[in-house]
Amino acid sequence: MLTKLIKQEFRATARVMIPMYLVMLALAVGARFFTDDLGDLGDLLKALCALAVLACILVNVAAMILRFKQNLLGDEGYLMFTLPVTVHQHLWAKLVAAVAWFAATLAMSLGSLCILADSTAFTIGAGGIQVGIPLVSVHGVAVAFPDNGLFLLELAVLGFVAGCTLCLQFYAALAAGYSFSSHKMALSVVWFVLLSLATTVLTEVMPVPEVEFHNNWVATLHLALWVISGCTAVVGAIYYGITVYFLKHRLNLS
Amino acid sequence: MPVLEYKEVTKRYGGLTALDGVSLTVEPGRIVGLLGPNGSGKTTLLKLACGLLTPTSGEILVCSQAPGSPASHAQVSYLPERMAVPDWMTAKQLVHFYQDFYGDFRQDVAWQMLSDLNIDPALRVREMSKGTREKVQLILVMSRAAMLYLLDEPIGGVDPATRDYILSTIIANYNPEAAVVISTHLIADVEKLLDQVIFLKNGQLVLQSEVDQLREEKGMSVDALFREVFKC
């Protein structure tokens, strides 16, 4: 059932995301290859493309939040919550789709920037995921790690955990706010602020392992990435618990 | 064994009591009319059976299971009073959606009903008229071979001719071992279908009776009795 829900999520969100990517890429290609012919208009196209990249990221986050609200807390909730699936499956389907779109947006944004920029100034190494090969080079200066594969894995884990936690903070606030009979959105905002404050306090008191800097800065960086991922996962798990509680026990569809 | 059972169920929304100690059972093979004026608790009663609400107190059993679990959802086919299907989907996509999620969905029945009602499967829900949307939603719900159908105002927004088709569809398509609970204000239209009626008033159960027995004892139709019981 989870795969069916995920398929449904992608189908629903692709309607927004795919056209947005196409516009962003078209702008980037236009700005890159027709700048010289268009003069000032070309510069405007470049600026528009940069704005489109920013807008794409914002729309991505907004789309994932609105999707949760509309699909589970709006009228569609009457259908979704009577499907033979669990609340956990609903949540994971949304999270997997959201994080996949975040990754796609990141890739498309970098792709657009690569198209837009002078190709010799900013390149991504093709063999970046292989051990010992430069990952990124900026203006010809290679940024290399001795174990790029592990580094990329750590970044992927952190990206997944951070993406899920970001979504879950909004989901928890919306699930809590929409459990009330009236002023649902206003109360969701209040919950979001309260959760943010509570998270700030929690991260202050959380017993985070000390990451000591020593000569082996690569090992330090690896350790730091795992610690950040772990702490983020703890916060995400709390948001997850709050969301599940409200969806299971305090669901209050209009 | 009852398909649906409420035991002393109370539901409060803040200070408002929507249901007050309701106990009732629905047996398999019965078509039950859930009747009552606005605000009497009919929709709340149905939403509780679907697990969309949690009772303040009391217990509900759907096919001997607590409502809200995937297993109970697999047994219940629920038609909400509002449009719940995504409006960007076409009727065809919705049929496939139901097919994906419900093992008891009968695709051939759905296609036949769409064809009978001249509904273009390629039409998006948002492009349909209000009546057509309601028809599509009802077709999807009635195309399942569920054990319990909970229909909240199934004929409220459609014309009389379609109403007749829908009612005959309900009779023709429900599993004979299943029960159907229909919440409606249009009592005269559904009366001929009903085996049993439940009257709700201010969240309390006023009456649960067999329709034939009621007509015999009171000497009047259910519609006439409703008007008498709920006279303003």
Side-chain angles (χ1 to χ4, degrees):
Chain A
M1 284 295 176
L2 180 61
T3 50
K4 288 173 183 173
L5 280 175
I6 291 172
K7 185 182 89 177
Q8 188 60 25
E9 279 306 306
F10 277 113
R11 184 189 276 178
T13 45
R15 297 176 309 118
V16 179
M17 302 307 294
I18 301 291
M20 199 170 64
Y21 293 154
L22 292 177
V23 169
M24 188 165 71
L25 284 177
L27 278 172
V29 169
R32 175 77 179 86
F33 295 105
F34 300 107
T35 304
D36 296 340
D37 302 334
L38 295 174
D40 287 348
L41 199 59
D43 292 337
L44 182 68
L45 210 54
K46 271 189 174 179
L48 269 178
C49 185
L51 274 176
V53 170
L54 186 66
C56 201
I57 295 165
L58 292 176
V59 169
N60 191 175
V61 176
M64 296 310 124
I65 297 162
L66 287 174
R67 169 76 188 152
F68 177 84
K69 174 184 158 292
Q70 189 181 22
N71 189 236
L72 294 184
L73 303 172
D75 287 349
E76 285 178 29
Y78 285 91
L79 172 65
M80 300 311 289
F81 283 112
T82 48
L83 293 177
V85 298
T86 62
V87 168
H88 298 284
Q89 287 171 323
H90 275 306
L91 266 183
W92 278 110
K94 299 244 172 317
L95 290 173
V96 167
V99 173
W101 285 120
F102 289 155
T105 300
L106 181 69
M108 298 304 281
S109 302
L110 284 175
S112 297
L113 289 175
C114 286
I115 293 169
L116 197 62
D118 186 344
S119 60
T120 57
F122 183 80
T123 57
I124 293 180
I129 57 168
Q130 290 175 28
V131 173
I133 294 180
L135 177 68
V136 176
S137 66
V138 180
H139 289 288
V141 179
V143 180
F145 293 97
D147 46 4
N148 276 342
L150 180 61
F151 183 67
L152 280 178
L153 173 72
E154 288 163 353
L155 279 181
V157 170
L158 178 59
F160 181 78
V161 171
C164 287
T165 303
L166 172 71
C167 288
L168 282 165
Q169 184 170 3
F170 285 101
Y171 293 173
L174 282 166
Y178 273 72
S179 68
F180 293 88
S181 300
S182 54
H183 309 296
K184 290 170 185 272
M185 188 44 89
L187 286 165
S188 299
V189 174
V190 171
W191 266 90
F192 186 83
V193 173
L194 288 176
L195 285 174
S196 300
L197 288 173
T199 306
T200 308
V201 173
L202 178 71
T203 48
E204 289 295 319
V205 299
M206 192 187 282
V208 179
E210 291 268 333
V211 178
E212 289 180 20
F213 282 88
H214 41 76
N215 290 337
N216 190 349
W217 64 275
V218 174
T220 308
L221 190 63
H222 285 308
L223 182 62
L225 281 172
W226 285 115
V227 168
I228 295 168
S229 294
C231 293
T232 310
V234 169
V235 175
I238 294 169
Y239 293 153
Y240 184 90
I242 294 170
T243 311
V244 168
Y245 171 78
F246 278 100
L247 292 182
K248 260 188 173 176
H249 303 289
R250 292 281 180 269
L251 187 65
N252 189 13
L253 300 175
S254 299
Chain B
M1 188 188 293
V3 179
L4 177 62
E5 195 171 4
Y6 293 79
K7 297 175 185 172
E8 289 295 322
V9 172
T10 296
K11 176 65 187 175
R12 292 194 189 90
Y13 299 105
L16 178 77
T17 303
L19 286 177
D20 188 7
V22 172
S23 295
L24 61 91
T25 56
V26 175
E27 298 293 331
R30 315 295 283 164
I31 300 183
V32 180
L34 181 60
L35 313 175
N38 294 330
S40 57
K42 302 187 296 293
T43 295
T44 300
L45 198 80
L46 297 184
K47 282 163 86 172
L48 283 165
C50 295
L52 292 171
L53 291 173
T54 311
T56 309
S57 65
E59 187 188 12
I60 302 163
L61 293 172
V62 177
C63 301
S64 307
Q65 297 170 84
S69 65
S72 88
H73 286 154
Q75 308 276 355
V76 179
S77 193
Y78 171 57
L79 178 79
E81 63 179 333
R82 57 184 66 211
M83 279 308 297
V85 292
D87 65 358
W88 55 270
M89 289 176 93
T90 62
K92 185 181 174 184
Q93 287 172 329
L94 284 168
V95 168
H96 290 144
F97 177 91
Y98 267 69
Q99 180 74 45
D100 262 359
F101 284 99
Y102 295 108
D104 59 6
F105 189 75
R106 298 165 298 178
Q107 219 180 127
D108 53 330
V109 173
W111 292 130
Q112 185 59 52
M113 284 198 272
L114 285 170
S115 165
D116 287 348
L117 288 170
N118 294 318
I119 297 170
D120 178 4
L123 210 59
R124 288 186 192 283
V125 172
R126 72 161 72 102
E127 294 161 352
M128 297 172 185
S129 67
K130 184 173 175 282
T132 307
R133 289 177 193 183
E134 293 188 5
K135 286 178 211 167
V136 168
Q137 193 161 250
L138 183 71
I139 286 169
L140 294 166
V141 168
M142 292 312 299
S143 296
R144 286 186 57 200
M147 285 304 292
L148 175 64
Y149 297 86
L150 300 173
L151 312 178
D152 200 352
E153 295 289 351
I155 52 173
V158 295
D159 58 82
T162 309
R163 206 173 285 170
D164 287 343
Y165 177 84
I166 287 173
L167 294 175
S168 61
T169 300
I170 291 172
I171 300 173
N173 287 288
Y174 90 98
N175 172 4
E177 290 175 8
V180 183
V181 179
I182 306 174
S183 158
T184 184
H185 290 112
L186 301 166
I187 303 165
D189 286 291
V190 299
E191 189 170 343
K192 56 183 180 287
L193 306 185
L194 304 179
D195 297 311
Q196 205 177 60
V197 286
I198 293 168
F199 279 11
L200 279 181
K201 189 177 187 181
N202 299 327
Q204 292 183 324
L205 184 73
V206 176
L207 171 81
Q208 181 176 13
S209 173
E210 297 296 310
V211 170
D212 291 340
Q213 187 188 343
L214 200 67
R215 286 199 194 107
E216 209 171 285
E217 283 177 4
K218 306 283 180 185
M220 60 177 83
S221 67
V222 175
D223 190 30
L225 181 66
F226 181 89
R227 287 168 199 273
E228 190 177 290
V229 172
F230 297 107
K231 192 159 62 180
C232 298

